[in-house]
């Protein structure tokens, strides 16, 4: 994996390449002219010896801070993506596959942050170098070898690795500890990898003098700043329980305040303050539950977007022949997948199948009956051989076969099933979230069983 760093990426964008790229992508010429006019209308002036020089016009570059610049840079980066795809189609580059049936991955782009995946051999490295030189001549971009890093497989040969580093002029073979603001998930993710969260939180709260702040001001600061700081990391990793306790301790000490270097008396248990205001609390977040809720959101994305690259990779690796909701996963999974599994435990308590044609819903195992007490069938299966909900529909598939319902289920189940309306048009079954139940779980006290 090769992490490529571009030197002054925005400042080096050639305007002529941007103009031709927009036209090549099919945008209307009048619209392209207007966009280019906005880009080229910039003027600069420099203060020299206390005096402002005459304004001058640059010949390339995108303005930093302009809300249009990140979108325009994506069109420039699309040129690199096109070059890589052409090399892959011709066989000059070999994609990375995490398992046999997984889709190949040759590159990942996030604005000017680029990850390239290729086989660590001399021929592949030379193809990468030639491709980057072509990209630089066309767009004006320039690689900064001193900030580039690379990570090899443990099974790779040392001689081949040295050749690759020599060709790409890479001095740093240790991959960066952080990427896109998150710790690189190499090995076991311990609490020390998230030490920066504690430092940032402590620094933010120390910047404010709690003596001169009202209770309402403290509440806003905790909810809008303190508890929002770890949200980004919580959405990807399962934070250690000790770290969540430390973050909670810092917030709790700020809430009650200090006097003469000692913490003031806590007049009420912190668990009570975690309750919603209508229940007598302050509505603060339980960081343990909030971390699980954020990871459940990631698991929900895998269900909602089955065609995404992330879903395809994870499905090929961890549940190639099953469904995410029903699969039993291995214990030696990666750190990222363990985090998704942690969120999936919560997600399973708040989802329900919406009946379409009933071909994907299992009668006795899946949650598909919308009611308060239980989302699943409470009747005993007995000797019933019916397995799918589609077998409970009438011949036309537009309504329930009540003779079967009365014969198989108890009156309570029959009454609830009869309330479910079957779509007039043929449609597939779909999973939906019962957000009311999830909100209850998140707002409950930490002692609430999940």
């Amino acid at each position: 994996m090769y992490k490529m760093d571009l030197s002054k990426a925005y400042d080096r964008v050639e305007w002529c390449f941007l103009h031709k790229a927009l036209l090549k992508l099919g945008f209307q010429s009048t619209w392209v002219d207007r966009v280019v006019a906005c880009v080229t209308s910039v003027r600069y002036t420099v203060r020299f010896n206390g005096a402002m020089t005459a304004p001058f016009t640059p010949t390339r570059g995108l303005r930093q801070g302009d809300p249009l610049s990140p979108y325009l840079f994506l069109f420039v980066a699309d040129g690199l993506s096109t070059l890589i795809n052409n090399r892959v189609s011709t066989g000059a580059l070999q994609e990375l596959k995490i398992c046999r049936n997984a889709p190949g991955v040759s590159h990942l782009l996030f604005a000017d942050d680029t990850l390239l995946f290729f086989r660590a051999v001399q021929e592949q490295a030379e193809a990468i170098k030639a491709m980057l030189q072509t990209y630089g001549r066309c767009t004006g971009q320039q690689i900064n070898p001193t900030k580039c890093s690379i990570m090899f497989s443990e099974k790779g040969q040392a001689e081949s690795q040295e050749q690759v580093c020599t060709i790409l002029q890479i001095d740093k073979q240790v991959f960066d500890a952080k990427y896109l603001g998150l710790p690189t998930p190499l090995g076991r993710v311990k609490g020390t990898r998230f030490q920066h969260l504690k430092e940032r939180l402590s620094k933010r709260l120390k910047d404010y003098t709690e003596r001169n702040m009202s209770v309402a001001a403290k509440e806003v600061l905790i909810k809008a700043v303190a508890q929002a700081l770890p949200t980004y990391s919580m959405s990807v990793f399962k934070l250690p329980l000790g770290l969540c306790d430390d973050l909670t301790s810092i917030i709790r000490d700020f809430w009650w305040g200090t006097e003469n270097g000692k913490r003031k008396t806590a007049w009420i248990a912190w668990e009570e303050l975690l309750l919603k205001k209508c229940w007598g609390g302050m509505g603060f977040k339980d960081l343990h539950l909030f971390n699980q809720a954020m990871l459940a959101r990631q698991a929900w994305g895998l269900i909602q977007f089955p065609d995404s690259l992330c879903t395809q990779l994870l499905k090929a690796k961890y549940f190639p022949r099953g469904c995410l909701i029903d699969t039993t996963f291995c214990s030696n999974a990666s750190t990222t997948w363990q985090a998704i599994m942690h969120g999936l435990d919560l997600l399973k308590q708040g989802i329900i199948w919406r009946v379409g044609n009933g071909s994907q819903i299992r009668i006795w195992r899946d949650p598909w009956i919308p009611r308060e007490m239980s989302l699943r069938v409470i009747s005993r299966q007995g000797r019933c051989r019916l397995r799918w909900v589609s077998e409970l529909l009438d011949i036309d598939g537009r309504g329930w076969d009540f003779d079967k319902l009365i014969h198989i289920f108890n009156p309570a189940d029959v009454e609830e099933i009869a309330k479910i309306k079957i779509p007039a048009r043929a449609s597939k079954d779909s999973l939906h979230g019962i957000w009311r139940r999830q909100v209850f779980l998140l707002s409950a006290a930490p002692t609430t069983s999940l």
Side-chain angles (χ1 to χ4, degrees), residues 299-411:
W300 180 249
L302 299 180
I303 298 174
Q304 291 293 98
F305 305 101
D307 297 330
S308 66
L309 177 61
C310 179
T311 304
Q312 293 179 25
L313 291 173
L314 294 177
K315 179 177 176 60
K317 178 67 175 180
Y318 296 107
F319 54 105
R321 298 179 182 86
C323 177
L324 178 64
I325 301 299
D326 304 319
T327 305
T328 302
F329 305 105
C330 57
S331 58
N332 59 346
S334 65
T335 304
T336 305
W337 184 248
Q338 290 178 4
I340 294 178
M341 290 168 55
H342 180 58
L344 189 62
D345 293 338
L346 175 63
L347 183 64
K348 289 180 179 179
Q349 303 179 40
I351 58 175
I352 186 173
W353 281 96
R354 178 173 294 178
V355 180
N357 54 22
S359 61
Q360 296 179 284
I361 307 175
R362 292 167 297 185
I363 300 174
W364 309 102
R365 293 182 58 182
D366 293 332
W368 59 282
I369 302 179
R371 58 184 170 188
E372 291 290 336
M373 54 181 295
S374 175
L375 301 179
R376 292 176 172 83
V377 173
I378 60 176
S379 305
R380 293 185 177 181
Q381 183 176 358
R383 296 184 178 181
C384 179
R385 296 184 178 182
L386 299 182
R387 183 180 179 186
W388 304 100
V389 173
S390 59
E391 300 172 353
L392 302 176
L393 302 179
D394 56 20
I395 299 177
D396 298 332
R398 298 182 179 180
W400 298 105
D401 189 337
F402 287 96
D403 293 336
K404 289 184 180 179
L405 297 181
I406 296 173
H407 179 71
I408 298 173
F409 304 106
N410 60 30

Side-chain angles (χ1 to χ4, degrees), residues 123-150:
E123 295 77 10
Q124 299 270 299
E126 291 176 349
I128 289 291
K129 182 178 180 180
M131 180 192 63
L132 294 179
Q133 290 176 348
T134 303
Y135 176 67
R137 288 194 302 268
C138 296
T139 63
Q141 300 295 306
Q142 183 176 351
I143 308 298
N144 188 0
T146 58
K147 293 186 177 180
C148 295
S149 58
I150 194 168

Side-chain angles (χ1 to χ4, degrees), residues 256 267-277 279-284 443-447:
W256 294 117
W267 297 105
I268 189 173
W270 186 253
E271 288 76 10
E272 298 294 331
L273 296 179
L274 297 178
L275 299 174
K276 297 170 64 175
K277 288 188 175 181
W279 294 349
M282 292 298 299
F284 294 144
S443 58
T447 55

Side-chain angles (χ1 to χ4, degrees), residues 47-62:
R47 182 182 296 275
F48 183 71
N49 291 336
M52 301 297 294
T53 62
F56 60 92
T57 303
T59 58
R60 62 180 180 180
L62 299 175

